Amino acid sequence: VIHYPYLSLRRSVEKWSFYWKGPSLIQASYDAAHGKPFILDAPGRRHTLVSTKQHIKDLDNAPKDVLSLQAAAKIMLQPKYTMHSFNWPDKKGLDGAPLTRTLRAFLRHDLGRILPKTRVRNEILLRNMVEESQGRPSISHVFHTLVASTHSLAFFSDDLVNDTEFMDAALDFIFRVIYIAEPLNLLPEFLQPMIGTLVGWMCPSQKVMFDKVRALAQIRLDEREQASRGIKGPEHRDCLQWVIEQTHKLRPWSADKVDPWSAERVTHEMIALWFGAMHSVTSTLNYVIQDLCLHSEYVTPLRMELESAAFKAFEATGEGLPLLESFIKESQRMNPLDLVGTRRLALKPFTFSGGHQVNAGEWVCTPLTPMLKDSAKWAQPNEFNGFRHVSSEILDSLKDRHVYGSIQAERPLPITDIREWQTWGTGKMACPGRFYASAMMKQILGLIITDYDCTMENVNQNRNFSWRTVYIPTTPCITLKQRAH
């Protein structure tokens, strides 16, 4: 009895320390577990972390109403307050999953039409930003601007990319989601509605974005209704239109609710997509450009690849450029955006192979960062090897081949292959937009590598800081100098 207050206080301090000691706690627990599931507690959350192939397969095969990605993301992002009252269901696919097919099939197969268009626009935007800043632009702003321009063309064609009010709000929206959601997750649940409503009202960018996209969605729905009566309208090839078309094809075996989506429902889906596609891609690009500055020996072979016929083949398909792809993949391995991956919230009790049990309300995930730097899988795991993920034939063809280390496997998997790569998620619920995201990153980096020499000041500065289970990249000072062709 005497020791109870002390023990209770100690447990509380240990839980709260997870917020700033997450990396060391997860790494130590991973090392001690030797492949077994292990548990870490944070305020209000208990995490079970699994890392073996069998346990990850268990996680992937769990019913959607038992282990839910939707429910986990809903708590993390607080969309009711950050995405203009979007209250998405805990179970994925309740009213269909048209976005998954849109990204995995339609957008992926349309990259050959989209990429030449985005390259021309982004080349002009990049040149203007470099000239206006006299070669010292904010690299974070550069990437956010180029990625937002690419998204706007891919998601909405030309309808919103030249709307300054929309583009400004869409850029601000990304930061507001994080600034609102994270503090809300620290509050007691009973305070979240009051504080969330107040803070959301004070951040108008989500409303501006919602109103603009909703108006466009309604126009598209009206055009579709007119076309059904024989009145032809303009043809659209973008994500917004593909989502609308897919919601009109819902069937009882693919969704619990089969009614076509309203303009409001379509809009909520699109702005949630916007956040996910912006945050992960811009953060990855931030790390890659830093790695390029820190490892300048890779610049010459990357330029040779980008200036060869391989680039034309890439732009026609969205696939290829193995050297650049390997460099990006190695940067992802060395600088993961999250300490953990494949987050799920248990809506019902679940038992893994081997008997480990997870109770309803607890979280399940994989220890992403330790897995990406595990010496049992990776040779010299803490060393950056930009061409680790190419084939031996490609590596042997390079001049000064000895400079670039050794390959990881004789037949390396592409960056979008998720069988041995957790950065995109796991199995059936892996990111369906990874093919588009990969192509976009290659194109944006290609513009910088071919046209500019990059140098970074203060190369010894911290490249990120951690909060809870997330790594947040710092913004380095990078100079871009126009190359003389």
Side-chain angles (χ1 to χ4, degrees):
V1 174
I2 295 174
H3 290 287
Y4 178 77
Y6 167 75
L7 293 175
S8 179
L9 177 62
R10 180 180 176 181
R11 291 192 189 100
S12 295
V13 171
E14 288 175 348
K15 288 181 180 181
W16 280 97
S17 70
F18 183 81
Y19 283 102
W20 60 88
K21 292 172 61 178
S24 60
L25 291 173
I26 291 175
Q27 184 66 58
S29 298
Y30 176 81
D31 293 340
H34 300 293
K36 295 179 180 178
F38 59 93
I39 294 173
L40 283 175
D41 288 325
R45 296 182 190 176
R46 164 160 285 194
H47 302 84
T48 290
L49 292 94
V50 297
S51 58
T52 66
K53 288 185 178 181
Q54 182 56 55
H55 288 150
I56 293 173
K57 184 178 179 181
D58 292 343
L59 192 158
D60 183 40
N61 290 334
K64 291 178 288 187
D65 61 347
V66 177
L67 296 183
S68 172
L69 169 62
Q70 296 276 112
K74 189 175 181 179
I75 291 175
M76 290 187 64
L77 300 179
Q78 297 286 331
K80 185 176 181 180
Y81 311 111
T82 62
M83 300 181 187
H84 201 66
S85 304
F86 188 10
N87 188 26
W88 67 54
D90 288 342
K91 178 185 173 183
K92 184 177 177 63
L94 186 66
D95 55 353
L99 187 60
T100 299
R101 180 166 172 77
T102 291
L103 298 177
R104 186 177 291 158
F106 298 113
L107 180 58
R108 179 186 182 185
H109 295 145
D110 209 39
L111 287 173
R113 181 187 66 86
I114 295 170
L115 288 173
K117 191 174 182 179
T118 57
R119 172 176 48 80
V120 171
R121 181 175 177 83
N122 283 341
E123 193 170 18
I124 295 171
L125 287 172
L126 178 58
R127 186 187 311 122
N128 290 342
M129 285 187 284
V130 171
E131 290 177 354
E132 290 170 2
S133 64
Q134 298 182 327
R136 295 171 61 87
S138 163
I139 200 67
S140 176
H141 178 67
V142 166
F143 287 139
H144 277 87
T145 300
L146 299 183
V147 173
S149 171
T150 303
H151 285 344
S152 190
L153 289 169
F155 296 176
F156 310 115
S157 297
D158 296 317
D159 290 318
L160 292 174
V161 71
N162 294 312
D163 187 326
T164 304
E165 185 182 18
F166 169 78
M167 294 302 291
D168 288 346
L171 285 172
D172 182 70
F173 166 75
I174 305 307
F175 301 102
R176 299 298 176 185
V177 170
I178 299 171
Y179 295 160
I180 297 173
E182 194 56 40
L184 286 179
N185 277 309
L186 297 177
L187 294 174
E189 193 170 339
F190 74 91
L191 283 177
Q192 290 179 0
M194 179 179 66
I195 303 299
T197 301
L198 176 63
V199 177
W201 177 79
M202 295 169 62
C203 300
S205 58
Q206 58 176 300
K207 184 179 186 305
V208 171
M209 191 173 184
F210 180 87
D211 289 345
K212 294 280 187 179
V213 177
R214 184 198 175 283
L216 180 59
Q218 189 60 59
I219 290 172
R220 299 285 185 88
L221 287 169
D222 290 344
E223 289 174 351
R224 192 181 192 285
E225 194 276 330
Q226 291 173 352
S228 68
R229 295 188 283 110
I231 304 173
K232 282 193 173 183
E235 182 180 342
H236 305 286
R237 288 174 62 181
D238 54 36
C239 289
L240 176 62
Q241 191 65 34
W242 291 323
V243 168
I244 289 173
E245 295 302 326
Q246 291 303 299
T247 70
H248 283 77
K249 298 177 181 179
L250 297 176
R251 297 294 183 267
W253 54 84
S254 63
D256 295 337
K257 300 178 181 179
V258 296
D259 295 331
W261 287 6
S262 66
E264 289 81 3
R265 179 66 182 88
V266 171
T267 300
H268 276 137
E269 196 80 355
M270 295 304 298
I271 64 176
L273 167 64
W274 184 278
F275 171 78
M278 281 290 297
H279 173 67
S280 57
V281 171
T282 53
S283 296
T284 299
L285 288 170
N286 195 317
Y287 285 125
V288 176
I289 198 68
Q290 293 180 58
D291 283 323
L292 198 65
C293 293
L294 293 170
H295 305 280
S296 58
E297 67 273 18
Y298 291 94
V299 172
T300 297
L302 288 173
R303 278 180 178 157
M304 292 178 64
E305 179 180 67
L306 288 162
E307 292 170 351
S308 72
F311 183 80
K312 186 175 182 181
F314 153 73
E315 203 168 64
T317 63
E319 299 177 355
L321 302 177
L323 294 180
L324 181 57
E325 178 170 295
S326 175
F327 194 90
I328 296 170
K329 190 172 182 178
E330 181 70 351
S331 185
Q332 286 183 319
R333 189 187 70 82
M334 292 293 291
N335 309 287
L337 305 184
D338 267 312
L339 288 160
V340 302
T342 316
R343 290 182 181 85
R344 302 288 188 270
L345 178 64
L347 303 180
K348 300 176 183 178
F350 180 76
T351 302
F352 282 97
S353 299
H356 183 86
Q357 294 184 334
V358 177
N359 297 321
E362 296 179 356
W363 291 58
V364 180
C365 46
T366 59
L368 179 61
T369 297
M371 290 173 68
L372 291 174
K373 297 183 180 180
D374 191 333
S375 60
K377 176 173 176 55
W378 305 97
Q380 298 178 308
N382 295 312
E383 296 293 325
F384 184 92
N385 179 353
F387 293 160
R388 181 192 296 266
H389 311 280
V390 298
S391 67
S392 57
E393 292 85 359
I394 293 175
L395 194 61
D396 290 341
S397 70
L398 298 178
K399 184 180 179 181
D400 298 326
R401 179 251 179 275
H402 65 280
V403 174
Y404 306 111
S406 59
I407 60 171
Q408 182 66 29
E410 281 300 318
R411 295 186 179 277
L413 298 174
I415 194 172
T416 52
D417 193 303
I418 57 174
R419 283 174 289 178
E420 300 289 341
W421 195 246
Q422 290 283 310
T423 56
W424 302 107
T426 298
K428 299 185 291 292
M429 300 292 285
C431 172
R434 61 189 183 275
F435 308 98
Y436 161 71
S438 170
M440 174 175 42
M441 289 191 290
K442 291 177 187 177
Q443 184 182 74
I444 291 174
L445 289 167
L447 290 175
I448 295 176
I449 293 170
T450 54
D451 289 345
Y452 299 92
D453 290 317
C454 310
T455 54
M456 183 169 66
E457 298 180 9
N458 193 9
V459 295
N460 295 319
Q461 74 176 38
N462 290 330
R463 300 178 62 184
N464 58 40
F465 62 93
S466 67
W467 174 252
R468 210 155 40 111
T469 60
V470 179
Y471 281 119
I472 302 170
T474 57
T475 301
C477 183
I478 291 180
T479 300
L480 300 180
K481 182 180 179 182
Q482 183 81 42
R483 289 180 65 209
H485 290 280

